[in-house]
Amino acid sequence: MTTLARQVRAAILQIQPYVAGLSDDTVRQQFGGQAVVKLNSNENAVGPSRLAIEAILSELEQIHHYPDPSSDLLRQAIAEFHGVQRDQVLVGNGSDEVIRLISETFLSEGDEVLVPAPTFSQYQAGAFLMGATVRRIPLSQDFQYDVDAFLSAVTNRTKLLYLCSPNNPTGTVVSQHALSRLLAQLPSHVFVVLDFAYNDYARDETRAVLTPKLVEGGRVIALQTFSKLYGLAGLRVGYAVASAAIWDYVHRIREPFNVNRLAQRAAAAALMDDQHRTLSRLLCERGMDMYGRLADVGYVVIPSQANFVSVRTGDGERTYQQLLQEGILVRKGFAGMEEYVRITMGLEEENEQCILALLRLSTVSS
Ligand SMILES: *Cc1c(COP(=O)(O)O)cnc(C)c1O
């Protein structure tokens, strides 16, 4: 072990850096002038709301001023949108920051965190950062949540239980019924973090949703983001709704200016844009219908409630490389999902290009 490795915190040594989908700068560098179909980061192909862009333009002259440290206008807009109080809302530099803040607030070395498997990697990253232990609770064969599996993994060291609904990368949801049962049986020392990053795309009427009642009991933290449906991934804004008592602790460690001026304005404006929301959902729904064609030629397509779909091709890495040859970027490499690629719903012509490529690959391999 090097001196440096001995001097950094032990918890850091076990952390693998986050592997993001290729950024557009990287894509431009690697593909030159070639058109690239970017279906790898669950971004909104519609783009941002016009209202958000206008809000940014009218705020630009003010960027020599620090932002509002408490993001009051944005938190007020979010609170009204969900019918909760402003002090029940925390905003962050993406929900990634909110996950980190929750981890820093709750977790000590030796504490346990339950996460679904497979799922979004940031829950475990937050736990590792604090030296906590992660227990992965596998989804069922058909990628559904198994409440009893979570319940039986709880110990007296369990602090946080994460659920992602719809889950990234499977697109499957937690039902309201399953959630109620979980909350009724869960010991009072376990807090539940529900990540609703994709829930605005979901149509399943039985799914859990963010309501004032959900967070009333003080044990549920509901995460949301402006990065997906709202098309503001580049600005970094996310939020969470929970009891104000939880946020009293989190505010002690939050960086004072964690959400920048442009992001605060744009997010508040985007929240008001019903037209953009409707159009974005519609595009996603149409895309999802198109991907149904893959099932006809024998691909397993996991039924998804999100703006992405995971498709079993047998060898995700190989499919990733093959699609890359055609300038189509998808996501691979979720632990336990090595046979799959995850594809974001794009514009109609982008979906068509990706589907045609996969149809062609299926005839080549059979
Ligand atoms: C993309 C994503 C987020 C959003 O993260 P931001 O930091 O807000 O961009 C959160 N949770 C899941 C499951 C995601 O896939």
Side-chain angles (χ1 to χ4, degrees):
M1 211 189 242
T2 65
T3 309
L4 176 60
R6 266 194 307 274
Q7 294 305 102
V8 301
R9 278 199 308 125
I12 308 290
L13 299 178
Q14 64 169 329
I15 299 176
Q16 301 296 320
Y18 180 74
V19 184
L22 296 182
S23 73
D24 44 357
D25 286 340
T26 312
V27 167
R28 220 169 287 128
Q29 261 172 14
Q30 291 188 356
F31 294 84
Q34 246 176 289
V36 167
V37 179
K38 194 172 184 301
L39 306 177
N40 63 347
S41 297
N42 300 340
E43 296 149 342
N44 187 346
V46 169
S49 145
R50 290 311 304 177
L51 298 186
I53 293 172
E54 282 159 23
I56 289 172
L57 290 177
S58 64
E59 190 66 13
L60 271 179
E61 300 283 343
Q62 299 301 320
I63 57 171
H64 59 301
H65 288 307
Y66 280 99
D68 172 6
S70 46
S71 301
D72 273 341
L73 287 180
L74 175 55
R75 287 195 304 137
Q76 186 63 36
I78 293 167
E80 283 168 19
F81 186 75
H82 290 292
V84 297
Q85 300 299 310
R86 188 171 72 187
D87 62 1
Q88 291 180 282
V89 180
L90 178 84
V91 295
N93 185 37
S95 42
D96 284 357
E97 190 204 9
V98 179
I99 293 167
R100 179 184 280 237
L101 287 170
I102 292 167
S103 306
E104 289 172 339
T105 302
F106 280 90
L107 302 176
S108 301
E109 214 160 298
D111 286 340
E112 291 173 4
V113 176
L114 305 185
V115 304
T119 198
F120 187 52
S121 63
Q122 291 312 98
Y123 316 140
Q124 101 168 21
F128 285 161
L129 174 70
M130 304 312 296
T133 303
V134 173
R135 292 185 179 233
R136 294 178 190 80
I137 313 301
L139 300 180
S140 68
Q141 282 293 314
D142 52 350
F143 303 103
Q144 301 300 318
Y145 279 100
D146 178 354
V147 166
D148 295 308
F150 277 90
L151 285 170
S152 52
V154 171
T155 73
N156 53 15
R157 294 304 308 260
T158 310
K159 281 258 183 82
L160 298 176
L161 187 164
Y162 281 93
L163 299 171
C164 183
S165 178
N167 185 46
N168 181 3
T170 56
T172 43
V173 297
V174 181
S175 73
Q176 186 56 59
H177 176 75
L179 179 63
S180 301
R181 199 160 73 78
L182 178 74
L183 290 172
Q185 295 183 44
L186 204 61
S188 60
H189 64 275
V190 185
F191 286 76
V192 175
V193 185
L194 258 165
D195 189 344
F196 286 137
Y198 302 100
N199 209 22
D200 287 321
Y201 283 110
R203 293 166 310 270
D204 185 338
E205 303 271 318
T206 68
R207 75 189 192 279
V209 289
L210 206 179
T211 60
K213 195 165 175 295
L214 179 70
V215 295
E216 209 172 63
R219 277 208 298 159
V220 173
I221 300 171
L223 298 178
Q224 251 295 6
T225 180
F226 285 96
S227 297
K228 307 291 157 58
L229 182 83
Y230 292 98
L232 300 178
L235 279 182
R236 316 302 302 125
V237 210
Y239 63 93
V241 179
S243 103
I246 293 178
W247 301 142
D248 280 344
Y249 292 109
V250 173
H251 284 308
R252 299 180 187 194
I253 58 160
R254 178 178 66 79
E255 284 186 27
F257 303 107
N258 63 329
V259 181
N260 72 69
R261 273 194 103 85
L262 303 181
Q264 288 187 31
R265 294 288 181 193
L271 213 48
M272 302 299 142
D273 196 342
D274 278 326
Q275 230 179 333
H276 176 265
R277 224 187 325 261
T278 305
L279 181 66
S280 304
R281 286 203 191 100
L282 195 66
L283 187 79
C284 171
E285 204 174 319
R286 289 215 192 110
M288 212 48 92
D289 288 343
M290 296 173 72
Y291 279 90
R293 280 154 63 195
L294 294 178
D296 302 340
V297 297
Y299 284 115
V300 173
V301 180
I302 305 177
S304 170
Q305 295 283 316
N307 70 336
F308 55 80
V309 69
S310 281
V311 178
R312 192 171 84 202
T313 65
D315 184 346
E317 174 67 38
R318 186 158 154 250
T319 309
Y320 170 85
Q321 295 296 344
Q322 287 167 328
L323 292 175
L324 197 58
Q325 296 300 314
E326 310 204 21
I328 302 167
L329 288 167
V330 298
R331 198 66 188 274
K332 44 116 191 182
F334 281 89
M337 300 283 285
E338 288 77 9
E339 298 188 351
Y340 291 78
V341 288
R342 190 199 67 192
I343 307 167
T344 305
M345 297 303 111
L347 299 173
E348 190 170 339
E349 57 273 23
E350 296 175 322
N351 298 333
E352 189 63 26
Q353 200 178 325
C354 181
I355 289 164
L356 287 177
L358 285 167
L359 292 177
R360 228 177 305 120
L361 291 175
S362 86
T363 46
V364 171
S365 63
S366 61

